[in-house]
Amino acid sequence: MRRRPASQVVRGRRAGVSGGDLVRLGLFGLRTRPTRVVLSALGIAIGIAAMVSVVGIGSSSQAQLQGVLDRLGTNLLAVSPGKSLSGETIPLPASAVGQVGRVPGVLESAGTGVVRGAHVYRNDKIPELQTRGLDVRAGFDDVPGILGGGFLSGSWLHRSGTNSTPSEKSLGSPSEVVLGSHAASALGVERVTGVERVWIGGSWWTVVGILEPLTLAKDLDSSVFVPVEAAASRLGFDGVPTQVYARADPAHLDAVRAVLPRAANPGAEAGATVSRPSDALEAQQASEASFTGLLLGLGLVALLVGGIGVANTMVITVLERRAEIGVRRALGARRRHIRDQFLIESLLLALLGGACGVALGSAVTVVFSAIEGWPPTVPIWVVAGGVGSTVAIGGLSGIYPACRAASVPPTSALAAA
């Protein structure tokens, strides 16, 4: 068998450098300048961490809100007094809660009525003007139950007199009262033991319950609830509800919502005003999403700054290693070999910063979510997008330094001699 000359073998074989060799050369170049590499990678990491943490915290907040909506439901409707053509408020009738409950498609109803002129105090020594912004409301039926609220302590109101003996009634036993979460804090009542009392309308009332914060009715957190009968007999309550809540069949929510204004107040031309409390939460979620977009833009700016830092680092690296590049060129390395080596270095530098940024941003999301009690959520597209964007930034930032390194002539090796 005839052998081919060695020169022909060399000319016939494609000269090149394997991908593994390029990666090793790139890692070697980064290890020789650790301080500069760390500072450059830090710029990328800050940008990526800002992006990941902003999106992660926003997603965690949305997951928490969605969980609340899923638990409380979006089928709650709130009925309030309507307004006439002249802008005057038309009060609801005293029978509004029962009328709403009889509407086909309504599963349950409850309501509250503001007891005007009544204020609550911790004891009878407090000046009348120090009301702390708390109001007294009569509770029609199971208000916390229809609002999906729980109790920090105690339970809801019993009907007036149902849990009292005749002897207790004759002795003027204090009536029951339930405190909203903010009202309890303002009055200094932490839990129910059966002896806590508050002063309302010139007499003592026994605290039987403390509500948790009501997500779907924040205005009730500063309220103190009393039985309708006791409010009428002891505080002069007129028996008119100021807010009625209804749980509707989700399949007929729109139909029920259309009927409620006339059903709640059939005697008024304008009827009543019907709203869905969950709409406010969804609007809040939309506003948070807009704010997240703004912060995400700031993260992109930080990422761009980090990319400029990578380009600057690589340009300086090329200037410092001209002699090394010249030696390699003199030993037979081609331009594309030099270009690929420096491009790989840029990509590795950006990838290092991106990986650190994703880890840091995820850690910030987890810690912040744990503090707020939210489910930590880092979308997979954010992780992939963070790493992908760093690779893109690294590639763009390394093109010019890599091309500049490839243009170094072999004679540059003489400068080191």
Side-chain angles (χ1 to χ4, degrees), residues 19-40:
D21 292 335
L22 286 175
V23 172
R24 284 190 290 271
L25 285 172
L27 291 174
F28 175 77
L30 295 181
R31 287 198 303 267
T32 57
R33 296 163 178 80
T35 302
R36 186 179 298 166
V37 167
V38 169
L39 294 177
S40 299

Side-chain angles (χ1 to χ4, degrees), residues 100-370:
V100 168
R102 289 189 290 272
V103 172
V106 172
L107 305 178
E108 56 180 333
S109 63
T112 65
V114 176
V115 182
R116 293 175 176 82
H119 300 288
V120 58
Y121 305 94
R122 188 66 179 90
N123 55 57
D124 56 350
K125 308 300 182 182
I126 305 296
E128 292 185 1
L129 296 180
Q130 295 184 12
T131 63
R132 296 177 180 263
L134 307 179
D135 55 17
V136 179
R137 294 175 182 256
F140 294 80
D141 297 325
D142 188 5
V143 175
I146 199 171
L147 293 175
F151 286 85
L152 296 173
S153 182
S155 60
W156 184 239
L157 301 167
H158 301 84
R159 291 187 60 84
S160 182
T162 57
N163 61 334
S164 302
T165 64
S167 60
E168 287 176 334
K169 293 179 182 178
S170 63
L171 293 175
S173 176
S175 297
E176 297 176 342
V177 62
V178 171
L179 308 180
S181 59
H182 176 70
S185 299
L187 295 171
V189 181
E190 298 181 354
R191 60 192 180 92
V192 175
T193 61
V195 297
E196 290 80 7
R197 299 191 301 172
V198 293
W199 184 259
I200 305 176
S203 61
W204 291 104
W205 298 65
T206 302
V207 178
V208 297
I210 300 175
L211 292 174
E212 294 178 346
L214 298 172
T215 305
L216 295 178
K218 293 291 187 182
D219 56 317
L220 299 185
D221 289 340
S222 299
S223 299
V224 174
F225 303 90
V226 297
V228 175
E229 296 86 347
S233 62
R234 302 178 62 177
L235 301 176
F237 178 53
D238 58 7
V240 176
T242 53
Q243 193 84 17
V244 178
Y245 300 98
R247 285 283 180 182
D249 184 348
H252 303 92
L253 182 62
D254 293 336
V256 171
R257 188 172 185 174
V259 173
L260 280 187
R262 187 62 60 188
N265 198 355
E269 181 179 352
T273 301
V274 179
S275 62
R276 197 169 68 168
S278 59
D279 289 342
L281 293 178
E282 291 173 354
Q284 176 186 355
Q285 184 176 9
S287 64
E288 289 179 352
S290 300
F291 187 65
T292 298
L294 174 62
L295 295 180
L296 184 59
L298 296 178
L300 290 173
V301 172
L303 181 59
L304 177 60
V305 173
I308 295 174
V310 171
N312 180 61
T313 297
M314 295 309 300
V315 168
I316 295 176
T317 300
V318 171
L319 294 177
E320 292 180 344
R321 298 166 63 183
R322 286 178 63 87
E324 173 194 334
I325 297 171
V327 170
R328 292 193 57 204
R329 289 294 311 280
L331 292 177
R334 296 185 177 181
R335 290 179 181 271
R336 62 184 178 87
H337 299 157
I338 304 298
R339 182 196 62 210
D340 292 346
Q341 175 191 345
F342 279 84
L343 188 58
I344 288 294
E345 284 191 28
S346 178
L347 290 172
L348 291 175
L349 178 58
L351 186 60
L352 174 63
C356 293
V358 168
L360 178 60
S362 300
V364 170
T365 299
V366 171
V367 172
F368 189 87
S369 299

